[in-house]
Amino acid sequence: MKVFYTSEHQSHAPESFMLRGQRVPCPEIPQRAEILKKAVSRHELLKCSNHGSGAIEAVHDSNYLEFLHSGFDEWSALDGASPEIIPNVHPNRNMSHVPRHIVGRAGFYQSDTSCPIGAGTGAAAVASAQCALSAADTVLSSSEDRVAYALCRPPGHHAYADMAGGFCFINNVAAAAQACLNHGATRVAILDIDVHHGNGTQGIFYHRNDVLTLSLHGDPDYFYPFYAGYADETGIGDGLGANRNRPLPKGTGDSDYLQALEPELEAIMSFAPDVLLVALGLDGSEHDPLAFLAITTAGFRAIGERIGGLTLPTVLVQEGGYVSNVLGDNLSAFLAGYESSSESVTA
Amino acid sequence: MKVFYTSEHQSHAPESFMLRGQRVPCPEIPQRAEILKKAVSRHELLKCSNHGSGAIEAVHDSNYLEFLHSGFDEWSALDGASPEIIPNVHPNRNMSHVPRHIVGRAGFYQSDTSCPIGAGTGAAAVASAQCALSAADTVLSSSEDRVAYALCRPPGHHAYADMAGGFCFINNVAAAAQACLNHGATRVAILDIDVHHGNGTQGIFYHRNDVLTLSLHGDPDYFYPFYAGYADETGIGDGLGANRNRPLPKGTGDSDYLQALEPELEAIMSFAPDVLLVALGLDGSEHDPLAFLAITTAGFRAIGERIGGLTLPTVLVQEGGYVSNVLGDNLSAFLAGYESSSESVTA
């Protein structure tokens, strides 16, 4: 399995974020990617190549991208501003205008305090997306590579078309899905197994039926991102029926998770996608510092096996998963599980 | 002129709020009210009386009020929570559900980090609203009292039906306007001269034509509340034409301010309200710590004169205005100006 990586992620190294009214260290740190890189050392490691901005611009608002790339300079010029952009006022309901002031734009384009933007954030986010685009290109272009893994950092699935959030800035898996369509695929499925709902991905494709979005995640009634990820969100307009959410109760373990996964896999096969993209969060781990679910390393292997067993061309896109003793093991286990079942079927 | 006050405001004493990514001291402190109280010492000071919750409940969402009064206990039980509720994630766009978790509810019901909620905040906000209701009751009930002043703290005009924001929790002037209508008035006007747009008041009455809302304020393109307060926001449905915004450029002084005030006063007289309520912010002062406009003490007197000259039954409701050497002087000057012209006409 080819693995796409770039060291450019290191230019995004957030110092802190705001949680429950307190400034605390940010868990989405460069060390994550280095742990994951070590875990895939038996695979062929490739530097991601530049696939241009077309797919990124197709899934993001141009004014948002402009903010992401130039906002930091404006922010830094403010009296008393923090070292990274952290918003303090938001449009919420009953408001509509996009203001010119950087504090107002920050709150318009960042829906929470968990997506601090520093000098290198925009470049790192684009490089991260290029890893996903590289993996997608490989799977679509090569008859030998039925699967590829993009070691994306920062992650992407909380990024909406026009909003950063939850450590995410550019929606890597959404850009890769769009690239697949641009490359000739007619139907694409995105299965999100991060512990947090893939709200940005859902939002980007909510009105479309060429991309089936499915997410299993901690119940948003009690867990980030709180305002989306409920089972009754099924898409709108042309997209009606092309979004599936499976909220899971706190503490859900391997067995219940695998049971909840089954109907989602069946829905994928019914949709008959040309390509499957997996938003591969590892923060469902029982040992993750942001723990909500309780998946073991064996559980990640089993999840990988089940997804590999679909034998679809597959782009694996790294999402969350934070520093713990089992972070690398869980990635290795997922990939080994995926390969074992995809190989056993195709052999 | 009767002045309504209560010491219950002291139970809301926020330690800090988040601004530009930093925790900083909150300027909306009990000392404000004590300075304003001293400034009105030549007037008849009365303790506000309890006018019930009907008018408050008529302009606020019941779930929001429940959050305001009981959210603090839930927040305090969280691991690592700050001493006051400060939200860190917001619904913004593309989200709809109200979650059960207190962190999610905080971001749903608080649109910024400038409205920290402590143990005594809900009670202080209700007491503040009772001051406005007491002043309204006096003006409506007594033929002698054509004007009354409510020394409200915390302020109210940024509070929407279902959102706190900008140091505001219960919309005092909106509740007082509703009380006037409940008391037999058929048309009420609210003129907001706080330096910040009265976004909550606008939001509460945006669809109604029995309350004309007018606001002069710093241009929201560059100033809080950023997302509302633009000139093109004129109301919706039955309320179309019953909302007027006059954004003013940074540094606007007395002369330009008074010129901008004229058409708003004409609009009030055309509307022919039974009662005028003034959302009386003093933070347009050249010396206010949150300065954006540059109104002098003489300017506040002149503004008071112009409003007094309308000779309408008037309820003056304190909004913003932060600690400076001229805070008390500006209130005295406004009230003296108001009385001088209202008396000269009615004499």
Side-chain angles (χ1 to χ4, degrees), chain A residues 18-23 75 78-84 86-101 103-114 160 162-163 199 203 220-228 230 232-233, chain B residues 18-23 75 78-84 86-101 103-114 160 162-163 199 203 220-228 230 232-233:
Chain A
M18 292 294 304
L19 183 69
R20 301 179 175 182
Q22 308 276 20
R23 184 188 280 278
W75 178 267
L78 290 177
D79 284 344
S82 57
E84 293 147 347
I86 297 181
N88 55 263
V89 54
H90 300 269
N92 278 17
R93 300 173 291 289
N94 297 322
M95 302 175 176
S96 63
H97 278 259
V98 186
R100 295 180 199 219
H101 194 282
V103 169
R105 285 164 63 221
F108 191 87
Y109 292 124
Q110 296 172 273
S111 62
D112 57 52
T113 54
S114 309
Y160 282 82
D162 63 356
M163 283 193 291
N199 55 337
D221 242 342
Y222 301 98
F223 199 52
Y224 185 92
F226 295 113
Y227 312 108
Y230 296 82
D232 62 358
E233 297 160 8
Chain B
M18 291 295 306
L19 184 70
R20 300 178 176 183
Q22 309 276 18
R23 182 188 283 277
W75 178 267
L78 290 177
D79 283 344
S82 56
E84 293 148 346
I86 297 181
N88 55 263
V89 55
H90 300 271
N92 278 16
R93 300 171 291 290
N94 297 321
M95 301 175 177
S96 64
H97 278 260
V98 186
R100 295 179 197 221
H101 194 281
V103 169
R105 284 164 66 218
F108 191 88
Y109 292 124
Q110 296 172 273
S111 62
D112 57 50
T113 54
S114 309
Y160 283 82
D162 62 356
M163 282 194 290
N199 56 337
D221 242 341
Y222 302 98
F223 199 52
Y224 187 91
F226 295 113
Y227 312 108
Y230 296 82
D232 63 358
E233 296 161 9

Side-chain angles (χ1 to χ4, degrees), chain B:
Chain B
M1 186 185 310
K2 286 179 179 154
V3 168
F4 292 91
Y5 167 85
T6 169
S7 61
E8 291 181 58
H9 75 87
Q10 293 165 359
S11 72
H12 174 64
E15 286 186 12
S16 59
F17 77 126
M18 291 295 306
L19 184 70
R20 300 178 176 183
Q22 309 276 18
R23 182 188 283 277
V24 296
C26 184
E28 206 294 282
I29 50 179
Q31 188 192 357
R32 291 183 59 239
E34 302 312 320
I35 291 171
L36 297 169
K37 184 182 170 197
K38 195 171 168 194
V40 294
S41 56
R42 71 180 181 88
H43 296 278
E44 183 184 355
L45 190 71
L46 298 166
K47 187 177 185 315
C48 68
S49 49
N50 186 351
H51 292 267
S53 59
I56 295 169
E57 290 168 1
V59 298
H60 284 290
D61 174 82
S62 59
N63 291 322
Y64 166 68
L65 292 175
E66 195 276 333
F67 163 78
L68 178 61
H69 291 298
S70 73
F72 179 76
D73 288 342
E74 275 182 77
W75 178 267
S76 302
L78 290 177
D79 283 344
S82 56
E84 293 148 346
I85 310 179
I86 297 181
N88 55 263
V89 55
H90 300 271
N92 278 16
R93 300 171 291 290
N94 297 321
M95 301 175 177
S96 64
H97 278 260
V98 186
R100 295 179 197 221
H101 194 281
I102 187 63
V103 169
R105 284 164 66 218
F108 191 88
Y109 292 124
Q110 296 172 273
S111 62
D112 57 50
T113 54
S114 309
C115 44
I117 295 175
T121 299
V126 168
S128 182
Q130 294 298 341
C131 288
L133 295 174
S134 296
D137 184 68
T138 293
V139 170
L140 287 168
S141 305
S142 159
S143 56
E144 283 178 28
D145 295 292
R146 296 273 294 172
V147 61
Y149 168 69
L151 205 172
C152 294
R153 178 183 177 271
H157 72 146
H158 296 309
Y160 283 82
D162 62 356
M163 282 194 290
F167 311 140
C168 299
F169 305 93
I170 288 179
N171 196 313
N172 306 311
V173 76
Q178 185 63 50
C180 291
L181 294 166
N182 296 351
H183 205 286
T186 57
R187 298 162 75 80
V188 175
I190 302 176
L191 173 64
D192 191 322
I193 64 167
D194 188 281
V195 74
H196 303 99
H197 174 238
N199 56 337
T201 315
Q202 168 177 306
I204 287 170
F205 297 115
Y206 207 57
H207 60 293
R208 288 169 54 170
N209 60 14
D210 52 351
V211 181
L212 173 67
T213 47
L214 315 93
S215 182
L216 293 94
H217 47 262
D219 183 353
D221 242 341
Y222 302 98
F223 199 52
Y224 187 91
F226 295 113
Y227 312 108
Y230 296 82
D232 63 358
E233 296 161 9
T234 56
I236 196 165
D238 287 347
L240 195 62
N243 188 74
R244 294 172 63 100
N245 285 324
R246 181 61 76 108
L248 300 167
K250 188 163 187 170
T252 295
D254 295 346
S255 167
D256 289 340
Y257 191 95
L258 289 164
Q259 199 174 327
L261 182 62
E262 273 322 296
E264 305 313 309
L265 300 183
E266 287 167 21
I268 291 168
M269 295 315 287
S270 299
F271 185 72
D274 301 310
V275 187
L276 171 66
L277 297 102
V278 180
L280 177 53
L282 298 166
D283 41 9
S285 164
E286 59 183 340
H287 298 302
D288 195 90
L290 310 184
F292 189 90
L293 305 183
I295 300 172
T296 68
T297 299
F300 279 107
R301 186 184 167 94
I303 295 166
E305 281 174 9
R306 293 295 302 122
I307 296 172
L310 301 179
T311 68
L312 290 165
T314 302
V315 183
L316 304 171
V317 177
Q318 184 65 46
E319 297 285 358
Y322 302 92
V323 175
S324 77
N325 288 336
V326 296
L327 176 59
D329 293 345
N330 288 343
L331 177 58
S332 302
F334 177 92
L335 297 181
Y338 181 94
E339 289 189 318
S340 72
S341 65
S342 63
E343 282 162 11
S344 67
V345 176
T346 55

Side-chain angles (χ1 to χ4, degrees), chain A:
Chain A
M1 186 184 311
K2 286 178 180 155
V3 168
F4 292 91
Y5 168 85
T6 169
S7 61
E8 290 180 61
H9 75 85
Q10 292 165 359
S11 72
H12 174 65
E15 284 183 12
S16 59
F17 78 126
M18 292 294 304
L19 183 69
R20 301 179 175 182
Q22 308 276 20
R23 184 188 280 278
V24 297
C26 184
E28 205 295 282
I29 49 177
Q31 187 192 357
R32 289 183 60 237
E34 303 312 321
I35 291 171
L36 297 169
K37 184 181 169 197
K38 195 171 167 195
V40 293
S41 57
R42 72 180 181 88
H43 296 279
E44 183 183 357
L45 189 72
L46 298 166
K47 187 177 185 317
C48 67
S49 49
N50 186 350
H51 292 267
S53 59
I56 294 168
E57 289 167 3
V59 298
H60 283 290
D61 174 81
S62 59
N63 291 323
Y64 165 68
L65 292 175
E66 195 276 335
F67 164 78
L68 178 61
H69 291 299
S70 72
F72 179 74
D73 288 343
E74 276 182 77
W75 178 267
S76 301
L78 290 177
D79 284 344
S82 57
E84 293 147 347
I85 310 179
I86 297 181
N88 55 263
V89 54
H90 300 269
N92 278 17
R93 300 173 291 289
N94 297 322
M95 302 175 176
S96 63
H97 278 259
V98 186
R100 295 180 199 219
H101 194 282
I102 186 64
V103 169
R105 285 164 63 221
F108 191 87
Y109 292 124
Q110 296 172 273
S111 62
D112 57 52
T113 54
S114 309
C115 46
I117 294 175
T121 300
V126 167
S128 182
Q130 294 298 341
C131 289
L133 296 175
S134 296
D137 183 69
T138 293
V139 170
L140 287 167
S141 305
S142 160
S143 56
E144 282 178 27
D145 295 291
R146 296 271 295 173
V147 61
Y149 168 69
L151 204 172
C152 293
R153 179 183 176 271
H157 72 146
H158 296 310
Y160 282 82
D162 63 356
M163 283 193 291
F167 312 141
C168 299
F169 306 91
I170 289 180
N171 196 312
N172 306 311
V173 76
Q178 186 62 51
C180 291
L181 295 165
N182 296 351
H183 205 285
T186 56
R187 298 163 75 81
V188 175
I190 301 175
L191 173 63
D192 191 321
I193 63 167
D194 189 280
V195 74
H196 304 99
H197 174 237
N199 55 337
T201 315
Q202 168 177 307
I204 287 170
F205 297 115
Y206 207 58
H207 60 294
R208 288 169 55 170
N209 59 16
D210 52 350
V211 180
L212 173 68
T213 47
L214 314 94
S215 183
L216 293 93
H217 47 263
D219 183 353
D221 242 342
Y222 301 98
F223 199 52
Y224 185 92
F226 295 113
Y227 312 108
Y230 296 82
D232 62 358
E233 297 160 8
T234 56
I236 197 166
D238 287 348
L240 195 62
N243 188 75
R244 294 172 63 99
N245 285 324
R246 180 61 76 109
L248 299 168
K250 189 164 186 170
T252 295
D254 295 346
S255 166
D256 288 340
Y257 191 95
L258 288 164
Q259 199 174 330
L261 183 61
E262 271 327 292
E264 305 313 309
L265 301 182
E266 286 167 19
I268 291 169
M269 295 316 286
S270 298
F271 185 72
D274 301 310
V275 186
L276 171 66
L277 297 101
V278 180
L280 177 53
L282 298 166
D283 40 9
S285 165
E286 60 183 339
H287 298 303
D288 194 89
L290 310 184
F292 190 90
L293 305 183
I295 300 172
T296 67
T297 299
F300 279 108
R301 184 183 170 96
I303 295 166
E305 280 174 12
R306 292 297 301 123
I307 295 172
L310 301 179
T311 69
L312 289 166
T314 303
V315 182
L316 304 171
V317 177
Q318 184 65 46
E319 297 287 357
Y322 302 92
V323 175
S324 77
N325 288 338
V326 296
L327 175 59
D329 292 344
N330 288 343
L331 177 58
S332 302
F334 177 92
L335 297 181
Y338 181 94
E339 288 190 317
S340 71
S341 64
S342 64
E343 283 163 8
S344 67
V345 176
T346 56

